[in-house]
Amino acid sequence: MRLRLSEADAAFREEMRAFFTTQVPERIRSVVAERRELSKDDIVETQRILNAAGLAVPAWPTEWGGRGWTSLQRHIWHEEMQLANVPAPLAFNTSMVGPVIATFGSQEQKERFLPATANIDIWWSQGFSEPDAGSDLASLRTAAVRDGDHYVVNGQKTWTTLGQYGDWIFTLVRTDPDAPKKQMGISFLLIDMTSPGLTVRPIKLIDGGQEVNEVFFEDVRVPVGNLVGEENKGWTYAKFLLGNERVGVAPVGSTKSVLARAKQLAKDRLDDPFVAARFAELETELLALELTALRVVANSADGKPHPASSVLKLRGTQLQQAVTELLVDLAGPGGVASGADDDSAVPQWARVATPRYLNYRKASIYGGSNEVQRQIIAGTILGL
Amino acid sequence: MRLRLSEADAAFREEMRAFFTTQVPERIRSVVAERRELSKDDIVETQRILNAAGLAVPAWPTEWGGRGWTSLQRHIWHEEMQLANVPAPLAFNTSMVGPVIATFGSQEQKERFLPATANIDIWWSQGFSEPDAGSDLASLRTAAVRDGDHYVVNGQKTWTTLGQYGDWIFTLVRTDPDAPKKQMGISFLLIDMTSPGLTVRPIKLIDGGQEVNEVFFEDVRVPVGNLVGEENKGWTYAKFLLGNERVGVAPVGSTKSVLARAKQLAKDRLDDPFVAARFAELETELLALELTALRVVANSADGKPHPASSVLKLRGTQLQQAVTELLVDLAGPGGVASGADDDSAVPQWARVATPRYLNYRKASIYGGSNEVQRQIIAGTILGL
Amino acid sequence: MDFELDDEQTALRDAVRRLLASTYATIDGRRASTAKAPGWDEGMWGRLAEMGVLGLPFTEEDGGMGAGPVEVALVAEQLGRVLAPEPFAEAVVLAGGLVAAAGSAAQKEQLLPGVVDGTTVAAFAHFEPGAAAGAPPRSVTATQDGDGWVLDGVKEPVLHGAQAGLLVVSARVDADGTDRTGLFVVAADAAGLDRVDYPTYDGTRAARVTFASTPATPLGAAGANASDVVALVTAHAQVALCHEAVGAMATALDLTTEYLRTRKQFGVPLKTFQALTFRAADMYVSLELARSMALWATLVLADGDPDAAVVAATRAVVQTSAAGRHIGQEAIQLHGGIGMTAEYAVGHYTTRLTAIDQLLGGRTAHLRVLADHVGEYDVVDPLAV
Amino acid sequence: MDFELDDEQTALRDAVRRLLASTYATIDGRRASTAKAPGWDEGMWGRLAEMGVLGLPFTEEDGGMGAGPVEVALVAEQLGRVLAPEPFAEAVVLAGGLVAAAGSAAQKEQLLPGVVDGTTVAAFAHFEPGAAAGAPPRSVTATQDGDGWVLDGVKEPVLHGAQAGLLVVSARVDADGTDRTGLFVVAADAAGLDRVDYPTYDGTRAARVTFASTPATPLGAAGANASDVVALVTAHAQVALCHEAVGAMATALDLTTEYLRTRKQFGVPLKTFQALTFRAADMYVSLELARSMALWATLVLADGDPDAAVVAATRAVVQTSAAGRHIGQEAIQLHGGIGMTAEYAVGHYTTRLTAIDQLLGGRTAHLRVLADHVGEYDVVDPLAV
């Protein structure tokens, strides 16, 4: 057991910190710091800077841009990035479809997609969830029927985050409706979002934003070459994808960063013991989470998903939400001035506080709800 | 809608307050105030004082000592009694078996048992729970087999509170093991605890106290005249008993009384904002509970159990436990001196704080656990 | 103590419910009303006026209905149930209430009829940027200017401040070196008055209101310290908002239980999952406790003691704030993704509950007030406040 | 940062676990050991000494094993897992630790060998009635008496104070009009020493220790202010107790999950009820977060900066206190009635977790300390304390 980073890791940390705080434009990082909405260009510009420096896809196989880092290095990379308010590389590209293609895709698919995915020349969207499935992902109904060299896709996906920017979408589709188990007849298909018959409809959320979408497929023709791996094995790849990334599953760095900024904003109210205690409490809870993430990282050398990831997701989103709630309280009645412009006498942070709070109610629902995480902990870890 | 009590109710309240604070010996009330353990004699003496004044069984039929009060009057009686630290009449006698005998018993049973029950000449124990049943009360197995003019009872009851003082025990026994539903073959039987074959074994609890017991029945012969109502209809009477008493289902008065005393004890620490806020919070929560109890009382004129009773039980025990926990915190490290005698430099209240806290973990388990209450709320009120 | 409505009150509640259902039977009603100016349905406002609802808090002498906090509470709960955006608590109970409580006889005669008949929508310009909910005015100052008074400074956010035909404004008055709270009336067309309108996250409207040597008329006696009257009328508005929240919570819970009953997942209705139904049960507990407290606070208001009224409102806010957050958050969580969408109703309830919470000033601020006085009494006796 | 044990540490942990299992495989072991004097198993204490466990925190120079906080933590967790009543944290880490940290070379040479070989059980008499956990001594005073010192006043509760062969006592020393904290050694047979023994609710023993002109020897330099050394050694003991709590929580959760798996109700195993299994999942989350924090605090102790050590211990207490209460309460609730009985194991775990919580001083007190300093830094960086 050892508290300090090794000299090499400490140097690595300094290198990351220096890069993120000097090489990613302040203009973009301030958007994150001020909790404003990132534009597509902000995200793309950042990821290209990272990719050029070999910092976009460090967990990929080295031949496709990976760095062969230890889990701890990947953790440090991720935390420093978040603490510096650098927009993370697009998860759909770097944590989701990229590793699937790199692991299960054909050589041709790898060459065609991986460099473009790392550099965000292709913006990927995710097509997993369906309106009637909810947490029961495998009950999906979007169908792909083989017709010569194509699949013909019909159905609907939903909760497609940032789908309005998507160039391609990776989907789970049902290729064998007669399979004995619902998990067995599913395939993993890559679909060009400019294909005829594919339409994207934005879903307005309760904070007024439009970050998620429905995606409709009406006789969309997809070349069979876009099938990843084997037909009807898609569930395996999906499970790989969902269990793939442990680093960053708990948004520690970004939550710490928001909390630190909140403390700065509340500087002249820290003599109020209730305000101070709330910061002390959240900082301590976040520290415990961060340490748990480090323990999980340390135990993940074997490459298998660590069941404690569910602890990180569950607690991570709880604390993320608690910090957004703190900002609502700090904003007070001024918080209702959310629609005011920058001439407002209510400061920008107070105006965004409540929409962000409302937006982050999603954190405990999307990407495996907290109920699903509890189910995993009870089942996989506790044997219940 | 009206805030104030009517003049009559206000006068009634004064009358109750005057009686409880002057007619019940300070010696006994201080035991309650100081959260020490009441002796059998304390309880009996108090109840006889109340009974002599017509204040022991006000909810019973008037011919057996009831007072024909409104629900609000019964509520006031109960709250004032608790606020004055008067030990409540023994629930087994006055809220449980008494009303069952008065409602379903034979005239002979009424005459034989009711006056003695009101005056605690008979101390009743409860024999419902069994070791393997838990919350599934109806799965009880203690059997009563008819043999001439007697039932022969074999089996075991548990969690019999204060069973060590019991003269008689009211039990649920299985008289028809072949009934199509487990609720159908159960009878309600009164058993003299001096009967041969009946033994009481104390169960030590985690606070060191011995207030609950196991009761064993080995070929205990019970005259058939001790059957209440009809054979195999016991479940109906048990449901009546369990749903009978709404007044006092939430221990508001006693919790308020403990909280008020805690505030007195912490008087010189109320300038600590954390301590003060905890009192303010608990007082407000208790007020909300008390008001809800008053609303339920107001709506219970029809005599049927109000499903909101479950709200009172659930929240009432939560707050009861929260107040016991506050006292543990106020006691601090001194609280471990629980076994010290009165020469201790640690004050008495601090020494009893943690054993009481541990003891009151039972409050959310016994008498219908909080899980059962949530089930009732979800099912009966919300239709889930 | 009695929590039962009398026949007249029951009739009022049912009438308001029926009227609101004509427009707000579904969330589309709120969407439509808030989408266009002024941010509520003017026809509905007129019909509420016709029904006498806008005159409920005012004496018959002032042209009102001579009703009281109980009737106000009934209406507020019904508005909350359907998320009707009509600014009853803010314009009538709060801004109108200040005129009734602080205005001179002449001012009441001049201003209240319009409030009661719905032709004048009043707003209370009180919040100042960066100040806590209960803080006295600092940045808006009132100074004497010849025979009259002028105001300077910024109020923000002022709910429906740009739509209001009448502004009641709190201002700092320097009285021989000490600060006093003054109340002033400012006409919508006053010189030096600038109002910038914008939407709030809950779909209503607010404004930044700037005063630059803006002529203003003292409400009531010039120079009187209005902090007590502001506290009392604010207490009335807070309790009304608590009832609005109770109504919203009740519907949020209804929507949630309905969803759990009907929505299937893994082949069975969600209500099969005890972990979800138990949470709905806890929501019900929160709702009922908040309802009890709001009702009680209403009775204390009606009882008339101003100090008791302010404390009761504070307790109601503490309870409502916690309940609103609990129920609002759980309502979305138990719905899952659909709860996040603006298309579906439940998220609007959470959003509005959040707004009410912020406008009430939040739980901690009110708990702090209670904590400061906790040593001054032994027990809280609801029957003898 | 590395949380892995090395081979030696793993061997130590396994050896301690095996040794403890010989006596404490079931709760009957604790019951038997606490039922008779001195309140723990003297044979077990001797075997722990033979294994070197009682010498872990001390340098080889002082006759110890030259191990450190990590090894102490391993042992404490194992003791907690089986609720072994041997007073390792209190007698060795705390009382012995004070001798090692504050004693002169001669005192260490004289006193520590007995602590290490188990023949001397030391106790730290520090708590004073009515004082908060972290308060400096007030009611016990030390005054110079010729060449020596005498103590007056009452310490209570002193854990195993009547059984201890060596008392380390904190006392208020008047140094030119200001109060200082002094540490003193008092022999078990000192004149004017009165010790009244009694049981604690968790089955261990404590005492009221009265000093009446009791001769005492300053620990280390006479008149030195020992408040820093008390804070640092207390931090070490607190972190050890946190690990004891983590061990106890782990077993409480094990017992609970086992109960949910095997106990049937309504004809099915309890684990069928999702409302229960989800709560077990939340218990696991609490446990793992507390474990992480305790491990980290251990590493900070090992790192050597005394100020950082005290802050880390405070954070560990905040986390452990909350987790211990959560897990202790839920463990009983999920067991139902049987959890309340002294016959069954789980209640003893809750009881012990409650005692540890009180001895640590409780969550709020420690949170208050953190709150006082929260404005002094931007973020908490676990890698750079």
PDB file of all heavy atoms in Angstrom, chain B residues 1-2 4 13 256 263 283-284 292 295 374 382, chain C residues 2 4 261 282 288 292 303 315 374 377 381:
ATOM      1  N   MET B   1     -62.955  24.586   8.656  1.00  0.00           N
ATOM      2  CA  MET B   1     -61.609  24.441   9.208  1.00  0.00           C
ATOM      3  C   MET B   1     -61.454  25.423  10.366  1.00  0.00           C
ATOM      4  O   MET B   1     -61.882  26.558  10.308  1.00  0.00           O
ATOM      5  CB  MET B   1     -60.565  24.751   8.140  1.00  0.00           C
ATOM      6  CG  MET B   1     -60.715  23.900   6.878  1.00  0.00           C
ATOM      7  SD  MET B   1     -59.195  23.063   6.367  1.00  0.00           S
ATOM      8  CE  MET B   1     -58.087  24.445   6.173  1.00  0.00           C
ATOM      9  N   ARG B   2     -60.772  24.954  11.420  1.00  0.00           N
ATOM     10  CA  ARG B   2     -60.658  25.768  12.608  1.00  0.00           C
ATOM     11  C   ARG B   2     -59.404  25.331  13.353  1.00  0.00           C
ATOM     12  O   ARG B   2     -59.125  24.151  13.513  1.00  0.00           O
ATOM     13  CB  ARG B   2     -61.896  25.537  13.490  1.00  0.00           C
ATOM     14  CG  ARG B   2     -62.055  26.484  14.660  1.00  0.00           C
ATOM     15  CD  ARG B   2     -63.504  26.384  15.198  1.00  0.00           C
ATOM     16  NE  ARG B   2     -63.994  25.009  15.115  1.00  0.00           N
ATOM     17  CZ  ARG B   2     -63.690  24.051  15.994  1.00  0.00           C
ATOM     18  NH1 ARG B   2     -62.899  24.299  17.005  1.00  0.00           N
ATOM     19  NH2 ARG B   2     -64.180  22.832  15.847  1.00  0.00           N
ATOM     20  N   ARG B   4     -58.463  26.489  16.601  1.00  0.00           N
ATOM     21  CA  ARG B   4     -58.622  26.373  18.053  1.00  0.00           C
ATOM     22  C   ARG B   4     -59.502  25.194  18.421  1.00  0.00           C
ATOM     23  O   ARG B   4     -60.405  24.812  17.674  1.00  0.00           O
ATOM     24  CB  ARG B   4     -59.264  27.656  18.601  1.00  0.00           C
ATOM     25  CG  ARG B   4     -58.497  28.910  18.299  1.00  0.00           C
ATOM     26  CD  ARG B   4     -57.259  29.004  19.164  1.00  0.00           C
ATOM     27  NE  ARG B   4     -56.331  29.970  18.572  1.00  0.00           N
ATOM     28  CZ  ARG B   4     -55.112  30.188  19.048  1.00  0.00           C
ATOM     29  NH1 ARG B   4     -54.664  29.513  20.075  1.00  0.00           N
ATOM     30  NH2 ARG B   4     -54.323  31.065  18.461  1.00  0.00           N
ATOM     31  N   ARG B  13     -59.197  19.304  27.690  1.00  0.00           N
ATOM     32  CA  ARG B  13     -57.746  19.211  27.666  1.00  0.00           C
ATOM     33  C   ARG B  13     -57.151  19.644  29.006  1.00  0.00           C
ATOM     34  O   ARG B  13     -56.255  19.004  29.553  1.00  0.00           O
ATOM     35  CB  ARG B  13     -57.220  20.092  26.541  1.00  0.00           C
ATOM     36  CG  ARG B  13     -55.774  19.876  26.221  1.00  0.00           C
ATOM     37  CD  ARG B  13     -55.276  20.991  25.305  1.00  0.00           C
ATOM     38  NE  ARG B  13     -54.058  20.579  24.626  1.00  0.00           N
ATOM     39  CZ  ARG B  13     -53.188  21.426  24.100  1.00  0.00           C
ATOM     40  NH1 ARG B  13     -53.412  22.719  24.138  1.00  0.00           N
ATOM     41  NH2 ARG B  13     -52.098  20.997  23.501  1.00  0.00           N
ATOM     42  N   LYS B 256     -42.473  13.819  21.566  1.00  0.00           N
ATOM     43  CA  LYS B 256     -42.352  15.243  21.882  1.00  0.00           C
ATOM     44  C   LYS B 256     -41.773  15.450  23.266  1.00  0.00           C
ATOM     45  O   LYS B 256     -40.942  16.334  23.491  1.00  0.00           O
ATOM     46  CB  LYS B 256     -43.742  15.910  21.842  1.00  0.00           C
ATOM     47  CG  LYS B 256     -44.153  16.407  20.499  1.00  0.00           C
ATOM     48  CD  LYS B 256     -45.591  16.865  20.502  1.00  0.00           C
ATOM     49  CE  LYS B 256     -45.797  18.268  21.011  1.00  0.00           C
ATOM     50  NZ  LYS B 256     -47.189  18.731  20.731  1.00  0.00           N
ATOM     51  N   LYS B 263     -33.975  18.889  24.735  1.00  0.00           N
ATOM     52  CA  LYS B 263     -33.658  20.298  24.502  1.00  0.00           C
ATOM     53  C   LYS B 263     -33.253  20.976  25.803  1.00  0.00           C
ATOM     54  O   LYS B 263     -32.318  21.781  25.821  1.00  0.00           O
ATOM     55  CB  LYS B 263     -34.862  21.008  23.864  1.00  0.00           C
ATOM     56  CG  LYS B 263     -34.488  22.297  23.177  1.00  0.00           C
ATOM     57  CD  LYS B 263     -35.551  22.765  22.206  1.00  0.00           C
ATOM     58  CE  LYS B 263     -36.780  23.282  22.892  1.00  0.00           C
ATOM     59  NZ  LYS B 263     -37.726  23.888  21.928  1.00  0.00           N
ATOM     60  N   GLU B 283     -38.504  19.009  15.563  1.00  0.00           N
ATOM     61  CA  GLU B 283     -39.755  19.592  16.044  1.00  0.00           C
ATOM     62  C   GLU B 283     -40.725  19.828  14.890  1.00  0.00           C
ATOM     63  O   GLU B 283     -41.936  19.599  15.026  1.00  0.00           O
ATOM     64  CB  GLU B 283     -39.477  20.923  16.757  1.00  0.00           C
ATOM     65  CG  GLU B 283     -38.901  20.747  18.151  1.00  0.00           C
ATOM     66  CD  GLU B 283     -38.612  22.068  18.838  1.00  0.00           C
ATOM     67  OE1 GLU B 283     -38.617  23.118  18.146  1.00  0.00           O
ATOM     68  OE2 GLU B 283     -38.373  22.066  20.048  1.00  0.00           O
ATOM     69  N   THR B 284     -40.197  20.286  13.777  1.00  0.00           N
ATOM     70  CA  THR B 284     -41.063  20.546  12.629  1.00  0.00           C
ATOM     71  C   THR B 284     -41.616  19.243  12.062  1.00  0.00           C
ATOM     72  O   THR B 284     -42.811  19.143  11.765  1.00  0.00           O
ATOM     73  CB  THR B 284     -40.287  21.336  11.556  1.00  0.00           C
ATOM     74  OG1 THR B 284     -39.791  22.539  12.150  1.00  0.00           O
ATOM     75  CG2 THR B 284     -41.174  21.691  10.384  1.00  0.00           C
ATOM     76  N   THR B 292     -50.966  15.413  11.125  1.00  0.00           N
ATOM     77  CA  THR B 292     -51.506  14.328  10.317  1.00  0.00           C
ATOM     78  C   THR B 292     -52.322  13.382  11.195  1.00  0.00           C
ATOM     79  O   THR B 292     -53.391  12.903  10.783  1.00  0.00           O
ATOM     80  CB  THR B 292     -50.360  13.587   9.605  1.00  0.00           C
ATOM     81  OG1 THR B 292     -49.572  14.545   8.883  1.00  0.00           O
ATOM     82  CG2 THR B 292     -50.891  12.554   8.627  1.00  0.00           C
ATOM     83  N   ARG B 295     -55.583  14.926  11.657  1.00  0.00           N
ATOM     84  CA  ARG B 295     -56.427  14.768  10.464  1.00  0.00           C
ATOM     85  C   ARG B 295     -57.027  13.376  10.403  1.00  0.00           C
ATOM     86  O   ARG B 295     -58.199  13.199  10.058  1.00  0.00           O
ATOM     87  CB  ARG B 295     -55.625  15.040   9.184  1.00  0.00           C
ATOM     88  CG  ARG B 295     -55.351  16.510   8.927  1.00  0.00           C
ATOM     89  CD  ARG B 295     -54.422  16.689   7.740  1.00  0.00           C
ATOM     90  NE  ARG B 295     -54.927  16.036   6.535  1.00  0.00           N
ATOM     91  CZ  ARG B 295     -54.168  15.483   5.605  1.00  0.00           C
ATOM     92  NH1 ARG B 295     -52.850  15.491   5.719  1.00  0.00           N
ATOM     93  NH2 ARG B 295     -54.709  14.920   4.555  1.00  0.00           N
ATOM     94  N   ARG B 374     -45.360   0.225   4.476  1.00  0.00           N
ATOM     95  CA  ARG B 374     -45.192   0.707   3.097  1.00  0.00           C
ATOM     96  C   ARG B 374     -46.033  -0.122   2.128  1.00  0.00           C
ATOM     97  O   ARG B 374     -46.600   0.390   1.179  1.00  0.00           O
ATOM     98  CB  ARG B 374     -43.724   0.648   2.676  1.00  0.00           C
ATOM     99  CG  ARG B 374     -42.868   1.728   3.309  1.00  0.00           C
ATOM    100  CD  ARG B 374     -41.535   1.873   2.582  1.00  0.00           C
ATOM    101  NE  ARG B 374     -40.703   2.847   3.275  1.00  0.00           N
ATOM    102  CZ  ARG B 374     -39.859   2.555   4.267  1.00  0.00           C
ATOM    103  NH1 ARG B 374     -39.688   1.307   4.648  1.00  0.00           N
ATOM    104  NH2 ARG B 374     -39.169   3.508   4.856  1.00  0.00           N
ATOM    105  N   LEU B 382     -52.512   3.623  -2.611  1.00  0.00           N
ATOM    106  CA  LEU B 382     -52.063   4.001  -3.957  1.00  0.00           C
ATOM    107  C   LEU B 382     -52.496   2.997  -5.016  1.00  0.00           C
ATOM    108  O   LEU B 382     -52.283   3.230  -6.207  1.00  0.00           O
ATOM    109  CB  LEU B 382     -50.537   4.164  -3.977  1.00  0.00           C
ATOM    110  CG  LEU B 382     -49.978   5.198  -2.989  1.00  0.00           C
ATOM    111  CD1 LEU B 382     -48.449   5.271  -3.112  1.00  0.00           C
ATOM    112  CD2 LEU B 382     -50.576   6.584  -3.237  1.00  0.00           C
TER     113      LEU B 382
ATOM    114  N   ASP C   2     -60.027  21.476  13.549  1.00  0.00           N
ATOM    115  CA  ASP C   2     -60.928  20.874  12.580  1.00  0.00           C
ATOM    116  C   ASP C   2     -60.385  21.138  11.178  1.00  0.00           C
ATOM    117  O   ASP C   2     -60.127  22.286  10.820  1.00  0.00           O
ATOM    118  CB  ASP C   2     -62.323  21.498  12.764  1.00  0.00           C
ATOM    119  CG  ASP C   2     -63.318  20.992  11.732  1.00  0.00           C
ATOM    120  OD1 ASP C   2     -62.976  20.063  10.986  1.00  0.00           O
ATOM    121  OD2 ASP C   2     -64.424  21.553  11.677  1.00  0.00           O
ATOM    122  N   GLU C   4     -61.925  20.003   8.375  1.00  0.00           N
ATOM    123  CA  GLU C   4     -62.968  19.781   7.373  1.00  0.00           C
ATOM    124  C   GLU C   4     -63.370  21.092   6.703  1.00  0.00           C
ATOM    125  O   GLU C   4     -63.464  22.131   7.356  1.00  0.00           O
ATOM    126  CB  GLU C   4     -64.199  19.168   8.034  1.00  0.00           C
ATOM    127  CG  GLU C   4     -63.989  17.760   8.539  1.00  0.00           C
ATOM    128  CD  GLU C   4     -63.680  16.790   7.416  1.00  0.00           C
ATOM    129  OE1 GLU C   4     -64.575  16.527   6.590  1.00  0.00           O
ATOM    130  OE2 GLU C   4     -62.535  16.306   7.349  1.00  0.00           O
ATOM    131  N   ARG C 261     -48.551   1.460 -12.479  1.00  0.00           N
ATOM    132  CA  ARG C 261     -49.622   0.493 -12.708  1.00  0.00           C
ATOM    133  C   ARG C 261     -49.665   0.005 -14.140  1.00  0.00           C
ATOM    134  O   ARG C 261     -49.949  -1.159 -14.409  1.00  0.00           O
ATOM    135  CB  ARG C 261     -50.990   1.113 -12.377  1.00  0.00           C
ATOM    136  CG  ARG C 261     -51.466   0.877 -10.959  1.00  0.00           C
ATOM    137  CD  ARG C 261     -52.943   1.236 -10.799  1.00  0.00           C
ATOM    138  NE  ARG C 261     -53.179   2.659 -11.018  1.00  0.00           N
ATOM    139  CZ  ARG C 261     -53.141   3.584 -10.064  1.00  0.00           C
ATOM    140  NH1 ARG C 261     -52.875   3.236  -8.824  1.00  0.00           N
ATOM    141  NH2 ARG C 261     -53.353   4.850 -10.343  1.00  0.00           N
ATOM    142  N   ASP C 282     -43.363   6.080   0.199  1.00  0.00           N
ATOM    143  CA  ASP C 282     -42.646   7.157   0.894  1.00  0.00           C
ATOM    144  C   ASP C 282     -43.012   8.532   0.334  1.00  0.00           C
ATOM    145  O   ASP C 282     -43.057   9.521   1.062  1.00  0.00           O
ATOM    146  CB  ASP C 282     -41.135   6.932   0.804  1.00  0.00           C
ATOM    147  CG  ASP C 282     -40.655   5.846   1.761  1.00  0.00           C
ATOM    148  OD1 ASP C 282     -41.320   5.624   2.789  1.00  0.00           O
ATOM    149  OD2 ASP C 282     -39.615   5.224   1.483  1.00  0.00           O
ATOM    150  N   GLU C 288     -48.476  13.767   2.446  1.00  0.00           N
ATOM    151  CA  GLU C 288     -49.485  13.956   3.491  1.00  0.00           C
ATOM    152  C   GLU C 288     -48.961  14.812   4.641  1.00  0.00           C
ATOM    153  O   GLU C 288     -49.698  15.612   5.216  1.00  0.00           O
ATOM    154  CB  GLU C 288     -49.989  12.602   3.996  1.00  0.00           C
ATOM    155  CG  GLU C 288     -50.913  11.917   3.009  1.00  0.00           C
ATOM    156  CD  GLU C 288     -52.074  12.819   2.576  1.00  0.00           C
ATOM    157  OE1 GLU C 288     -52.749  13.387   3.437  1.00  0.00           O
ATOM    158  OE2 GLU C 288     -52.269  12.969   1.357  1.00  0.00           O
ATOM    159  N   SER C 292     -50.559  18.371   5.709  1.00  0.00           N
ATOM    160  CA  SER C 292     -50.986  18.685   7.075  1.00  0.00           C
ATOM    161  C   SER C 292     -50.398  20.017   7.522  1.00  0.00           C
ATOM    162  O   SER C 292     -51.082  20.856   8.113  1.00  0.00           O
ATOM    163  CB  SER C 292     -50.521  17.580   8.035  1.00  0.00           C
ATOM    164  OG  SER C 292     -51.056  16.340   7.659  1.00  0.00           O
ATOM    165  N   ASP C 303     -56.127  32.642  12.037  1.00  0.00           N
ATOM    166  CA  ASP C 303     -56.306  32.947  13.454  1.00  0.00           C
ATOM    167  C   ASP C 303     -55.894  34.390  13.781  1.00  0.00           C
ATOM    168  O   ASP C 303     -56.339  34.947  14.779  1.00  0.00           O
ATOM    169  CB  ASP C 303     -55.480  31.961  14.286  1.00  0.00           C
ATOM    170  CG  ASP C 303     -55.927  31.899  15.728  1.00  0.00           C
ATOM    171  OD1 ASP C 303     -57.131  31.668  15.951  1.00  0.00           O
ATOM    172  OD2 ASP C 303     -55.089  32.102  16.622  1.00  0.00           O
ATOM    173  N   ARG C 315     -42.465  27.082   9.092  1.00  0.00           N
ATOM    174  CA  ARG C 315     -42.531  25.623   9.249  1.00  0.00           C
ATOM    175  C   ARG C 315     -43.133  24.974   7.993  1.00  0.00           C
ATOM    176  O   ARG C 315     -42.689  23.917   7.554  1.00  0.00           O
ATOM    177  CB  ARG C 315     -43.357  25.247  10.475  1.00  0.00           C
ATOM    178  CG  ARG C 315     -42.684  25.618  11.785  1.00  0.00           C
ATOM    179  CD  ARG C 315     -43.197  24.796  12.956  1.00  0.00           C
ATOM    180  NE  ARG C 315     -42.741  25.380  14.203  1.00  0.00           N
ATOM    181  CZ  ARG C 315     -41.550  25.131  14.765  1.00  0.00           C
ATOM    182  NH1 ARG C 315     -40.714  24.293  14.183  1.00  0.00           N
ATOM    183  NH2 ARG C 315     -41.200  25.707  15.893  1.00  0.00           N
ATOM    184  N   VAL C 374     -35.031  28.236  18.717  1.00  0.00           N
ATOM    185  CA  VAL C 374     -35.443  26.942  19.253  1.00  0.00           C
ATOM    186  C   VAL C 374     -35.317  26.891  20.784  1.00  0.00           C
ATOM    187  O   VAL C 374     -36.002  26.095  21.444  1.00  0.00           O
ATOM    188  CB  VAL C 374     -34.648  25.818  18.532  1.00  0.00           C
ATOM    189  CG1 VAL C 374     -33.329  25.551  19.210  1.00  0.00           C
ATOM    190  CG2 VAL C 374     -35.463  24.566  18.362  1.00  0.00           C
ATOM    191  N   TYR C 377     -38.739  28.107  23.679  1.00  0.00           N
ATOM    192  CA  TYR C 377     -39.978  27.424  24.082  1.00  0.00           C
ATOM    193  C   TYR C 377     -39.640  25.960  24.358  1.00  0.00           C
ATOM    194  O   TYR C 377     -38.565  25.474  23.984  1.00  0.00           O
ATOM    195  CB  TYR C 377     -41.038  27.528  22.983  1.00  0.00           C
ATOM    196  CG  TYR C 377     -40.532  27.031  21.658  1.00  0.00           C
ATOM    197  CD1 TYR C 377     -40.629  25.687  21.320  1.00  0.00           C
ATOM    198  CD2 TYR C 377     -39.901  27.886  20.756  1.00  0.00           C
ATOM    199  CE1 TYR C 377     -40.121  25.212  20.119  1.00  0.00           C
ATOM    200  CE2 TYR C 377     -39.389  27.421  19.557  1.00  0.00           C
ATOM    201  CZ  TYR C 377     -39.504  26.091  19.252  1.00  0.00           C
ATOM    202  OH  TYR C 377     -38.991  25.608  18.076  1.00  0.00           O
ATOM    203  N   ASP C 381     -46.764  23.400  20.290  1.00  0.00           N
ATOM    204  CA  ASP C 381     -48.140  22.952  20.492  1.00  0.00           C
ATOM    205  C   ASP C 381     -49.019  23.530  19.387  1.00  0.00           C
ATOM    206  O   ASP C 381     -49.261  24.725  19.338  1.00  0.00           O
ATOM    207  CB  ASP C 381     -48.641  23.436  21.860  1.00  0.00           C
ATOM    208  CG  ASP C 381     -50.055  22.938  22.152  1.00  0.00           C
ATOM    209  OD1 ASP C 381     -50.703  22.399  21.228  1.00  0.00           O
ATOM    210  OD2 ASP C 381     -50.499  23.089  23.288  1.00  0.00           O
TER     211      ASP C 381
END
